[in-house]
């Protein structure tokens, strides 16, 4: 099943390239604060799945062009991210701080945005803002100290994720936590539709030019192990999101660009980039020149 969130918190299922509104049977209240309905929906999904499928089959089709797509899980307990998790990206960044020696970091949950929302570039003269093409794992059930061999059972589904980043030497969390710096979408594809996630191709284009291309086969820490490592320290909850890391090819995005990301069996999302007039601060006042190592 492909589950979308749209128009101020409504929930839909994608059938024949159209949206079927299932908000009511999903048990989600549009516009609620905090917007935790999708987290509850994921936690309760097994008991609601049949009713959702039935409601979706009966609902009127809604065209994607008539809605604004929103981030599928706007209020997760955690947005986990693995740094440098592909060797070719480690090479281009000239870093040895690879995921298997660094562990995970967190991005601000409020950086999450959806397919229908532009990436707002902060006004930081002398700084580059880069795209990172990543597979997102959406956790389906609570767990601590999850064994690698059990880890796939904890995955609810997958989404496309852009880990947008201000380049520099400052605190990574700060450089990656501006609002709209984590577009996720265009929907969640449930794990049963994806099957084996160990060799999914993923690609990213800017204005139609291919910038990143890889497969999850090349991940340094594999999907199972990412879940095991994260849950060795932290209880994972339904709706938690794991950004699995980017391959080589990260590069600058600018006003007017359109970033497209496509992941095999998961989906494709296109997000425009707009220059904002806010976001400056003393931390980013010094310019930083990004130099690719290879
Ligand atoms: Mn990243």
């Amino acid at each position: 099943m492909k589950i979308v969130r749209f128009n101020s918190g409504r929930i839909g299922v994608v059938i024949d390239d159209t949206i079927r509104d299932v908000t009511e049977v999903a048990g989600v209240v549009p516009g609620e604060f905090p917007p935790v309905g999708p987290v509850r929906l994921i936690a309760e999904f097994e008991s609601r799945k049949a009713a959702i499928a039935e409601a979706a089959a009966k609902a009127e089709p809604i065209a994607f062009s008539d809605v604004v797509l929103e981030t599928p899980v706007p209020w997760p307990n955690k947005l986990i991210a693995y740094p440098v998790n592909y060797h070719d990206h480690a090479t281009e960044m000239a870093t040895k701080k690879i995921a298997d020696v660094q562990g995970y970091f967190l991005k601000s949950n409020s950086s999450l945005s959806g397919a229908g929302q532009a990436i707002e570039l902060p006004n930081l003269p002398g700084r580059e803002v880069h795209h990172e093409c990543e597979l997102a794992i959406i956790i389906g059930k609570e767990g601590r100290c999850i064994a690698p061999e059990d880890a796939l059972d904890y995955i609810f589904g997958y989404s496309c994720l852009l880990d947008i980043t201000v380049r520099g030497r400052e605190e990574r969390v700060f450089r990656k936590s501006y609002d709209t710096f984590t577009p996720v979408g265009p929907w969640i594809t449930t794990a049963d539709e994806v099957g084996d996630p160990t060799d999914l191709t993923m690609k990213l284009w800017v204005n139609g030019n291919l910038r990143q291309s890889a497969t999850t086969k090349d991940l340094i820490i594999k999907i199972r192990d990412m879940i095991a490592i994260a849950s060795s320290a932290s209880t994972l909850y339904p709706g938690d999101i794991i950004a699995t890391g980017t391959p080589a090819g990260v590069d600058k995005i600018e006003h007017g660009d359109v970033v497209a990301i496509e992941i095999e069996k998961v989906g494709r999302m296109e997000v425009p980039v707009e220059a904002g007039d806010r976001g400056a601060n003393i931390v980013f006042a010094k310019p930083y020149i990004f130099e690719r190592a290879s």
Side-chain angles (χ1 to χ4, degrees):
M1 201 177 277
K2 291 183 171 65
I3 300 166
V4 281
R5 187 166 163 272
F6 65 103
N7 293 4
S8 304
R10 303 200 70 80
I11 302 296
V13 171
V14 180
I15 299 177
D16 298 335
D17 292 323
T18 63
I19 297 171
R20 312 300 171 97
D21 192 325
V22 295
T23 306
E24 208 162 304
V25 288
V28 172
V29 181
E32 70 175 348
F33 185 85
V36 292
V39 169
R40 202 168 43 237
L41 168 60
I42 291 168
E44 298 173 353
F45 191 71
E46 279 310 309
S47 64
R48 291 185 179 274
K49 192 166 65 174
I52 289 172
E54 193 183 337
K58 285 185 199 151
E60 289 295 317
I62 303 168
F64 275 94
S65 53
D66 290 340
V67 307
V68 177
L69 290 183
E70 295 165 341
T71 204
V73 186
W75 206 265
N77 181 264
K78 285 182 288 303
L79 171 50
I80 288 171
Y82 278 89
V84 195
N85 205 8
Y86 288 85
H87 287 296
D88 59 357
H89 179 55
T91 303
E92 74 177 345
M93 301 301 284
T95 184
K96 292 190 172 66
K97 291 182 174 176
I98 290 170
D100 60 355
V101 294
Q102 288 281 294
Y104 78 68
F105 64 96
L106 296 171
K107 293 189 77 169
S108 171
N109 293 352
S110 52
S111 68
L112 289 163
S113 58
Q117 194 177 355
I119 296 164
E120 179 187 329
L121 297 176
N123 181 21
L124 303 177
R127 292 297 177 128
E128 292 186 11
V129 175
H130 281 200
H131 56 77
E132 296 189 354
C133 168
E134 308 197 12
L135 172 73
I137 299 168
I138 316 295
I139 295 295
K141 58 179 182 178
E142 185 175 329
R144 174 85 207 274
C145 299
I146 300 164
E149 57 269 29
D150 300 330
L152 297 187
D153 297 340
Y154 286 78
I155 299 177
F156 176 73
Y158 303 89
S159 295
C160 303
L161 183 148
L162 300 171
D163 177 14
I164 306 299
T165 305
V166 176
R167 290 294 170 213
R169 292 193 184 86
E170 297 80 7
E171 184 63 57
R172 173 161 48 200
V173 169
F174 191 44
R175 291 187 289 105
K176 288 173 174 280
S177 284
Y178 276 92
D179 285 2
T180 73
F181 267 25
T182 315
V184 173
W187 45 64
I188 299 172
T189 301
T190 52
D192 58 310
E193 281 199 17
V194 174
D196 179 8
T198 58
D199 188 13
L200 300 174
T201 59
M202 48 192 239
K203 290 186 163 64
L204 181 143
W205 299 260
V206 175
N207 306 327
N209 300 313
L210 185 66
R211 293 252 187 107
Q212 299 190 267
S213 177
T215 148
T216 54
K217 199 168 55 182
D218 299 330
L219 281 164
I220 296 170
I221 300 182
K222 306 300 182 193
I223 289 170
R224 290 173 183 278
D225 296 314
M226 280 190 254
I227 291 171
I229 291 167
S231 72
S232 73
S234 310
T235 300
L236 300 184
Y237 292 100
D240 280 1
I241 299 168
I242 301 179
T244 52
T246 190
V250 301
D251 212 338
K252 207 165 26 173
I253 50 173
E254 294 175 306
H255 177 75
D257 285 346
V258 175
V259 183
I261 174 172
E262 188 170 321
I263 302 178
E264 184 184 359
K265 295 183 189 169
V266 175
R268 178 187 171 90
M269 159 169 94
E270 292 188 11
V271 183
V273 180
E274 289 175 4
D277 57 6
R278 54 187 175 174
N281 56 60
I282 56 167
V283 176
F284 293 136
K286 265 202 228 86
Y288 174 86
I289 309 299
F290 174 77
E291 282 177 43
R292 189 180 306 277
S294 67

